[in-house]
Amino acid sequence: MQIRSRIFAIVAAALLLPALAAAQRMPREGGFAVFGGLGISNPTDEDFDADVGFSGGFEYFVTRNFSLGALGGAWKSDFDFGDDAKEAYVDFIAAYNWEGGRLHPYVQGGVGAYFVDFPFGDSDTELGGFVGGGLDIFFARSAALDLAFRYHIVPDIDIGFDDELDAKFFEAHAGVKFYF
């Protein structure tokens, strides 16, 4: 009788452990996420038009709610006086998310390098950063629609003629995030 109980317990544990592991909520401590998507980038300088941009990155979850990672992206915009304006960035990020079932709102911020190529000036690399937030809407256990809004703070770029262009911009992003 004891042997049957032990065998039953071992078989039950072998059958239940994978199910319990699969049911683990996301994000999880020690887990990763990768994300990417498209959005609208709206430079704050009135000489630039809003245009499509892209962004993506990864996160490592130090705890279920706090993550560290990297974010990169780029945009290109028509310039009122000629050539296109381009800006790309790579930021180290920190984020905090709140669990809410299928909905996970979050705040994030970061700092990093911004590569700016504006008409009438040289290409510059500037130290900048961003603040923002968003909402992950889970449509599967380990996949979510990622909606984000960020304000990027970048120093003004000297274009000569005793003039500067504002390199700051808003970014509204929609994409997909996968958790591992």
Side-chain angles (χ1 to χ4, degrees):
M1 187 74 157
Q2 276 187 337
I3 293 176
R4 273 191 192 167
S5 296
R6 287 184 185 168
I7 291 173
F8 177 77
I10 291 170
V11 169
L15 293 174
L16 288 176
L17 284 177
L20 290 173
Q24 187 175 23
R25 295 179 316 189
M26 294 291 179
R28 61 182 174 77
E29 183 175 326
F32 288 88
V34 294
F35 55 92
L38 298 173
I40 300 293
S41 294
N42 189 15
T44 56
D45 194 294
E46 62 189 31
D47 291 325
F48 301 124
D49 299 325
D51 213 331
V52 175
F54 67 90
S55 61
F58 71 92
E59 294 176 278
Y60 170 74
F61 287 87
V62 179
T63 70
R64 292 182 53 81
N65 301 99
F66 179 72
S67 64
L68 298 171
L71 170 70
W75 60 267
K76 181 175 92 168
S77 174
D78 292 334
F79 183 61
D80 289 346
F81 303 108
D83 294 337
D84 291 337
K86 299 177 228 44
E87 194 164 349
Y89 60 91
V90 177
D91 285 335
F92 295 103
I93 63 172
Y96 186 87
N97 81 78
W98 291 268
E99 296 181 50
R102 287 188 40 200
L103 304 177
H104 287 222
Y106 61 86
V107 294
Q108 63 182 184
V111 65
Y114 285 74
F115 310 99
V116 183
D117 186 8
F118 288 171
F120 305 117
D122 293 330
S123 297
D124 285 332
T125 301
E126 297 287 343
L127 179 65
F130 77 93
V131 294
L135 179 66
D136 287 340
I137 304 168
F138 281 81
F139 58 85
R141 184 183 72 78
S142 59
L145 174 65
D146 179 31
L147 304 173
F149 185 80
R150 302 177 188 105
Y151 177 61
H152 293 263
I153 304 156
V154 186
D156 292 347
I157 303 301
D158 182 9
I159 60 168
F161 315 110
D162 291 326
D163 200 6
E164 293 183 332
L165 289 174
D166 188 354
K168 297 176 211 50
F169 63 98
F170 292 96
E171 176 184 31
H173 159 99
V176 179
K177 187 181 284 187
F178 296 99
Y179 292 84
F180 302 96

